[in-house]
Amino acid sequence: MDVVLVPGFWLDASSWDEVVPVLEAAGHRAHPLTLPGMESPYADRSGLGLRDHVDAVVAAIDRLGGEVVLVGHSGGGSIAHGAVDARPDRVARVVYVDSWPLGDGECVNEGLPAVDGEVPLPDWSVFGEDELRDLDEEARGAFRARAVPTPARVASDPQRLSDERRYDVPVTIIACESPSAVLQEWMAQGAPPLAELAKVRDVTWVDLPTGHWPQFTRPAELGRLVVDSVAR
């Protein structure tokens, strides 16, 4: 199976480096993406928005033959969902890594501080303890050294969706910073951020207790959970 890996904010394809070998050992073909403007800190990000990142994932799907599995981490999950809407007949499953689908008209995170049209990796004090769990000082330093600013409009542009067949595509939620039982309770209570997920007809919940970046803190376990999800 072709597995397309969509990184979250501030990250490129290399963020999946410790996950890819687990997928390949299971016989899958991994395709980690570097999204437009994320090639380096010096890349031109002017004018790039959420749709540009969605279109890059759609282009990756179109380059591959047959069905694919999409894996989206954090903000990359929102981008993956936009690609599902564009190609619902080509996606066998979506794996959301500490993320969930972003509904039509919603923004990934318009509250992130932007500087000159881009969002640099914020100070660690911006993040909660649950988000930073298991990300020790060495890992934080490595993350900051590799971080690339995200185009501001990727965070603030509204998602645009049009094909309700997206709700037929099976989903796996890998819950990290908040347990899946808590997320399911929030969804049952009608929490607006989870309203789009509530419309998906086939959802599998999996827990991977760690912080918001399991590809750095528990990459082998994350890889195995993705493999299990592909097997479904």
Side-chain angles (χ1 to χ4, degrees):
M1 177 67 76
D2 289 300
V3 182
V4 178
L5 301 160
V6 185
F9 286 3
W10 310 299
L11 298 172
D12 62 9
S14 69
S15 62
W16 298 103
D17 279 356
E18 294 187 62
V19 177
V20 166
V22 182
L23 304 183
E24 293 179 338
H28 302 300
R29 297 172 295 277
H31 307 275
L33 302 183
T34 294
L35 298 170
M38 302 302 294
E39 298 87 355
S40 82
Y42 312 104
D44 182 8
R45 282 174 283 278
S46 60
L48 290 173
L50 178 61
R51 193 70 218 178
D52 296 292
H53 281 194
V54 170
D55 288 346
V57 178
V58 173
I61 294 171
D62 289 345
R63 286 193 298 268
L64 299 169
E67 289 189 319
V68 306
V69 169
L70 295 183
V71 180
H73 165 251
S74 190
S78 302
I79 294 163
H81 189 56
V84 172
D85 181 74
R87 297 290 185 272
D89 56 337
R90 293 290 313 284
V91 180
R93 178 174 289 272
V94 192
V95 181
Y96 293 95
V97 180
D98 219 33
S99 63
W100 48 75
L102 181 72
D104 184 66
E106 298 177 356
C107 303
V108 180
N109 191 339
E110 60 185 337
L112 288 170
V115 180
D116 296 329
E118 59 186 33
V119 179
L121 176 64
D123 186 82
W124 298 120
S125 62
V126 170
F127 302 101
E129 290 184 9
D130 289 342
E131 291 175 282
L132 297 173
R133 185 173 23 160
D134 300 330
L135 197 71
D136 60 23
E137 290 301 321
E138 181 179 356
R140 293 183 194 188
F143 184 176
R144 190 162 293 281
R146 79 194 303 163
V148 175
T150 291
R153 283 181 43 216
V154 175
S156 62
D157 280 356
Q159 176 90 290
R160 293 305 180 205
L161 307 171
S162 60
D163 195 330
E164 292 200 354
R165 290 181 296 167
R166 65 186 181 272
Y167 300 130
D168 295 324
V169 178
V171 159
T172 297
I173 303 291
I174 298 179
C176 299
E177 61 181 285
S178 296
S180 63
V182 171
L183 296 177
Q184 291 178 74
E185 182 178 351
W186 290 346
M187 189 171 70
Q189 293 171 352
L194 295 167
E196 180 75 358
L197 178 60
K199 298 176 184 177
V200 177
R201 296 179 177 90
D202 182 348
V203 180
T204 299
W205 299 84
V206 180
D207 285 294
L208 179 58
T210 187
H212 189 56
W213 292 277
Q215 65 271 59
F216 298 149
T217 59
R218 297 183 66 180
E221 294 96 324
L222 175 60
R224 287 195 289 270
L225 291 177
V226 173
V227 169
D228 291 346
S229 297
V230 175
R232 291 180 178 273

